[in-house]
Amino acid sequence: MARRSLAPLAPPPALAVTAVVVLALALCFNHPASAQSAWLDEFRTDGEVRSDFDASGKQVASLVLDKSSGAGFNSTEKYLFGEFSVEMKLVPGNSAGTVTSFYLTSGEGDEHDEIDMEFMGNSSGAPTVLNTNVWASGDGKKEHQFYLWFDPSASAHTRAGFIPNTADFHKYTIIWNAKNIIFRVDDVAVRAFRRYADLPYPDARPMAVHATLWDGSYWATEKGEVPIDWAAAPFVVSYRGYTANACVTRGGGGRTSCPAGRNEWMDRELDDTDRLTVAWARRNCLQYNYCEDGWRFPEGFPGECSRE
């Protein structure tokens, strides 16, 4: 696919309209979170993971990547459908070669399921790429990659300069139910992957939540042309405000328990506003679409491509 223009973008539909309302609500309801909200206790950690609380009382988990090791955390619970959100501040400055992720996976087997949000590092000043992907029964290669319309690592301004960026964290959400998977950035829908009865879909294997920071020099930046500059290490990415409104699966029999009264996500599909923002993201931010990569699929595109 041809590289998209990097000129400043207009904000997503409805985002500019609701900005004042959102700010007002935040001022009214943004009470400091209790220090008891230690969400990292729900995860196992690997590598160097720093934990602290910010001024508002939110727990912040920071992953550290250096030449010896990456880092990550993964949930002790497994889920079968749910809504998963986290606020993230990505690696600032020259992050080329690094990969930061927030994803769900059933494991490492050939038949595994997975739902990915991956952030591919960039040279200073270059746009950040969000890679979204879905795996079902080991069938993947369903990437949509988007240039983000703001600088997700900056605290003073957005790259395009039109959306006030009063915080250096941005919210990323995966909504996964029996009908579709919706990817959201700051509550703006950018992609929906629909279920079709005759095509693979992740609906049978419970998945854990993972977050990682690792060396993806062979792939992440300009198809591996720009590796990590280890002179800039250590690289740090921070997570806070994690929530999981989801059905938990426990025990060998796969017993599933869903939260009572908090199940709006179970039947969630794109509404009219979501369809506008998804169309906006495709026009202005999408820089790779597997359904347009004939070189990758010389024998024909996956079945869902003709039904979008």
Side-chain angles (χ1 to χ4, degrees):
M1 171 180 275
R3 187 180 178 89
R4 302 284 183 179
S5 170
L6 302 187
L9 303 175
L15 185 58
V17 176
T18 60
V20 175
V21 176
V22 171
L23 178 59
L25 290 172
L27 291 174
C28 291
F29 297 107
N30 187 23
H31 301 298
S34 167
Q36 294 179 355
S37 57
W39 55 266
L40 191 61
D41 293 346
E42 302 173 21
F43 291 82
R44 305 178 187 90
T45 62
D46 185 36
E48 185 176 352
V49 181
R50 303 170 182 169
S51 176
D52 203 348
F53 289 86
D54 65 15
S56 70
K58 290 184 177 180
Q59 186 179 37
V60 179
S62 297
L63 307 183
V64 181
L65 168 67
D66 59 26
K67 202 166 186 178
S68 65
S69 177
F73 53 82
N74 61 90
S75 64
T76 56
E77 301 281 16
K78 285 196 170 185
Y79 306 92
L80 190 60
F81 302 139
E83 179 175 350
F84 308 87
S85 292
V86 74
E87 298 173 11
M88 297 169 59
K89 180 183 177 183
L90 300 186
V91 176
N94 182 4
S95 60
T98 67
V99 178
T100 301
S101 69
F102 176 59
Y103 68 102
L104 295 98
T105 184
S106 64
E108 299 294 333
D110 292 341
E111 297 294 311
H112 83 289
D113 293 343
E114 188 166 309
I115 304 170
D116 297 326
M117 296 185 82
E118 298 172 308
F119 303 84
M120 297 184 285
N122 60 89
S123 301
S124 298
T128 294
V129 174
L130 164 62
N131 180 53
T132 64
N133 197 9
V134 176
W135 290 76
S137 300
D139 178 18
K141 301 180 181 178
K142 302 182 187 302
E143 299 98 330
H144 280 187
Q145 296 178 359
F146 302 89
Y147 288 130
L148 294 178
W149 56 91
F150 54 84
D151 185 341
S153 64
S155 57
H157 60 277
T158 64
R159 191 182 307 280
F162 55 79
I163 303 172
N165 187 11
T166 57
D168 48 11
F169 284 80
H170 291 268
K171 182 180 178 181
Y172 304 95
T173 302
I174 296 169
I175 299 174
W176 168 41
N177 59 38
K179 297 180 179 180
N180 57 191
I181 297 163
I182 301 173
F183 299 89
R184 297 169 67 90
V185 177
D186 284 340
D187 294 322
V188 174
V190 297
R191 181 187 182 186
F193 182 85
R194 294 182 58 191
R195 177 182 186 171
Y196 296 99
D198 58 332
L199 297 175
Y201 186 83
D203 62 356
R205 296 175 180 84
M207 294 198 267
V209 179
H210 291 248
T212 56
L213 174 61
W214 52 283
D215 176 6
S217 292
Y218 72 95
W219 163 71
T221 306
E222 297 182 23
K223 298 181 179 180
E225 293 297 319
V226 185
I228 284 182
D229 177 8
W230 290 112
F235 302 96
V236 180
V237 61
S238 297
Y239 298 75
R240 74 179 185 190
Y242 167 78
T243 60
N245 181 8
C247 296
V248 179
T249 301
R250 295 191 179 101
R255 181 175 57 87
T256 299
S257 174
C258 299
R262 301 174 60 234
N263 58 359
E264 299 88 351
W265 54 266
M266 286 186 176
D267 295 311
R268 181 64 190 271
E269 297 182 88
L270 297 182
D271 60 21
D272 290 343
T273 299
D274 293 332
R275 282 188 280 272
L276 285 173
T277 61
V278 167
W280 174 88
R282 289 178 70 98
R283 286 194 310 271
N284 294 283
C285 304
L286 186 66
Q287 66 96 18
Y288 176 81
N289 179 354
Y290 73 105
C291 287
E292 297 178 4
D293 192 344
W295 178 86
R296 195 177 188 186
F297 299 101
E299 298 181 5
F301 293 112
E304 68 271 8
C305 292
S306 61
R307 307 184 197 182
E308 291 188 343

